[in-house]
Amino acid sequence: MIKDADRIYWCPLYQTSKMGKKMSVVRWLLVALLVAFSIEEVQSDASDHKYKSGDEVPIYANKVGPFHNPSETYRYFDLPFCLPDHLKEKPEALGEVLNGDRLVSAPYKLPFMVEKESETVCRKKLTKQEVLKFRSAVAKDYYFQMYYDDLPFWGFLGKVEKDKNDPSEERFYLFKHLHFEILYNKDRVIEINAKADPNAVVDLTEDKEVEVEFMYTVRWKETNIPFENRMEKYSQSSSQPHHLEIHWFSIINSCVTVLLLTGFLATILMRVLKNDFVKYAHDEEAADDQEETGWKYIHGDVFRYPKYKSLFAAALGSGTQLFALALFIFILALVGVFYPYNRGALFTALVVIYALTSGIAGYTASSFYHQLEGSNWVRYKFTNIPFSSFNLKSNISHQQVRNLLLTGCLFCGPLFLTFCFLNTVAIAYTATAALPFGTIVVIVLIWSLVTSPLLVLGGIAGKNSKAEFQAPVRTTKYPREIPPLPWYRKTIPQMAMAGFLPFSAIYIELYYIFASVWGHRIYTIYSILFIVFIILLIVTAFITVALTYFQLAAEDHEWWWRSFLCGGSTGVFIYGYCLYYYYERSDMSGFMQTSFFFGYMACICYGFFLMLGMIGFRAALFFVRHIYRSIKCE
């Protein structure tokens, strides 16, 4: 949305057998998603959008807020506008509430095909306090958002001009006359635009009572745009040919550069490995007492289990769940669920899919922890708990309970603490970002009745899985001493090297994503985003494998946590980009907006850290198993 003195232009506002059991889980997940989105669609789109001349068309006022602070929004009638005769709140779905929408009946009446000329909304005398509220809103560049027949439209509340007599002084004007231009096709509403009359203003510069008459004018025009395409205009500016061409060129240029670097590094690594295999094969044919060097020398320690096994397994479980969440979100995006201003669809998807994929976290963490711990557990049978209805004759230990609790809280815990702080800030600001008590209860119930049980069931299934940790070589009883290493082989420098290359593959796309999430653009080109995501995974996996090889070649066998940290280090780079974006590319300001930006971005980057860390470790584990299978170790 671009502001011109009194007009909003449409740059979109910156929108039995194991196989049988697996198929059953997938079917239930798809059914749950379909039900969730059908409920969302029914609540946000209840009518058939067909009208006769003179029929009332629903119009709702949503929120107001500073243009440059997208998280800082308030209820429309927090400002002293004219109240309608019957103020009614529109019921909102879960995703809409999480999005900060608070729709109430608007003071305007725009019947279908009925034109109006300078219709009076109300006449009122603004008190000094009300003048101060409006003046503060105009000074902060407040905009309003409304919905007409489920079509969003925006407008600014006023304008600031230099005083003609004293250019150093500013005068604040409130728009009092709105012009609505509505396009229709037969019996359907296609488009609506709101334009303020720049000459019909009220001077709010002085602290005194002001008489104001709010008015509006309605014009109807016919168009040939079909009803099915009426939402396309909201994404036109983000998908205009020249923008799209530049976008694709930037992404292709970045990806080709990164893939070339990755290819060169892969070629070098393969040649070095080939030489190692030849060298070790030659050494085996030579004297048996010849001293081993390099990564073969530590074959008895390379599969020694890491410290803090429970935390490591929990991190893998949480990372796997977030990876599954990302995949499902991409599937929904590519099939067209997240079209512009499908209000709350993304938030609904995040809540529902995260809850339904918690079993993946429980299964992965419990299975991997069981592989590391073996069978040396104190066992307790589940007999008097509701899960017996699932015919799961299983047992579980104190260690596994602690592991499941850690898995469930590893990501949700920091997210919950961040939410509590930010929700308190929003309540103090009386902003719409503050969740109502009922919504919080719904989220707690979802966590209690869906997320936690699925986490436990996944943990039980993981515990009962017969998978064993596959180590191609035996582990010695006592670990070898790690030789002194130069500073650049330490954890922090390795993380810096590991995170830079994947970050360089995605940083261009980050701008478009940030401009959508923390600005007023609409992101619609999910195919590009999916390609970038795949490249991110590939580069993360490969750079972690390369650094793991160099670490083992230096006879450092503690690679487990190092591979996870190196893989996840891209999340730290993304958070660094947040600092750059906030101070250099955005105009956000104020304690609330700053808190929301850095608070929620910290949670998102932490999620990326867990997900990419899991990818890095899995790739490194596959690589380490492969190279030690390829040589003969005594």
Side-chain angles (χ1 to χ4, degrees), residues 186-237:
K186 297 179 181 178
D187 56 354
R188 305 259 199 169
V189 176
I190 303 300
E191 183 179 326
I192 181 171
N193 293 314
K195 176 184 176 181
D197 185 347
N199 299 317
V201 295
V202 179
D203 193 342
L204 304 177
T205 307
E206 299 179 8
D207 292 330
K208 63 179 182 180
E209 296 182 346
V210 176
E211 291 278 353
V212 58
E213 180 181 12
F214 291 100
M215 298 180 295
Y216 66 103
T217 297
V218 185
R219 294 282 183 270
W220 288 83
K221 294 183 179 180
E222 191 170 6
T223 181
N224 294 324
I225 299 174
F227 177 79
E228 293 75 16
N229 298 337
R230 70 175 190 162
M231 301 300 291
E232 287 185 356
K233 78 163 190 175
Y234 298 103
S235 57
Q236 281 177 355
S237 67

Side-chain angles (χ1 to χ4, degrees), residues 141-259:
D141 214 15
Y142 268 43
Y143 71 95
F144 67 82
Q145 184 191 42
M146 295 187 184
Y147 281 88
Y148 182 70
D149 191 40
D150 279 344
L151 289 171
F153 65 96
W154 300 264
F156 283 91
L157 301 188
K159 61 181 180 180
V160 181
E161 292 183 352
K162 298 291 184 181
D163 194 315
K164 295 179 181 179
N165 299 323
D166 186 0
S168 62
E169 296 292 331
E170 294 179 333
R171 304 200 69 84
F172 304 92
Y173 297 100
L174 174 69
F175 297 137
K176 64 177 184 178
H177 192 167
L178 274 181
H179 291 261
F180 296 101
E181 182 181 86
I182 308 173
L183 277 61
Y184 69 97
N185 187 346
K186 297 179 181 178
D187 56 354
R188 305 259 199 169
V189 176
I190 303 300
E191 183 179 326
I192 181 171
N193 293 314
K195 176 184 176 181
D197 185 347
N199 299 317
V201 295
V202 179
D203 193 342
L204 304 177
T205 307
E206 299 179 8
D207 292 330
K208 63 179 182 180
E209 296 182 346
V210 176
E211 291 278 353
V212 58
E213 180 181 12
F214 291 100
M215 298 180 295
Y216 66 103
T217 297
V218 185
R219 294 282 183 270
W220 288 83
K221 294 183 179 180
E222 191 170 6
T223 181
N224 294 324
I225 299 174
F227 177 79
E228 293 75 16
N229 298 337
R230 70 175 190 162
M231 301 300 291
E232 287 185 356
K233 78 163 190 175
Y234 298 103
S235 57
Q236 281 177 355
S237 67
S238 63
S239 60
Q240 287 177 357
H242 62 283
H243 287 170
L244 188 59
E245 184 178 347
I246 294 172
H247 195 170
W248 271 110
F249 179 78
S250 301
I251 294 302
I252 291 174
N253 180 56
S254 175
C255 292
V256 166
T257 303
V258 170
L259 290 178

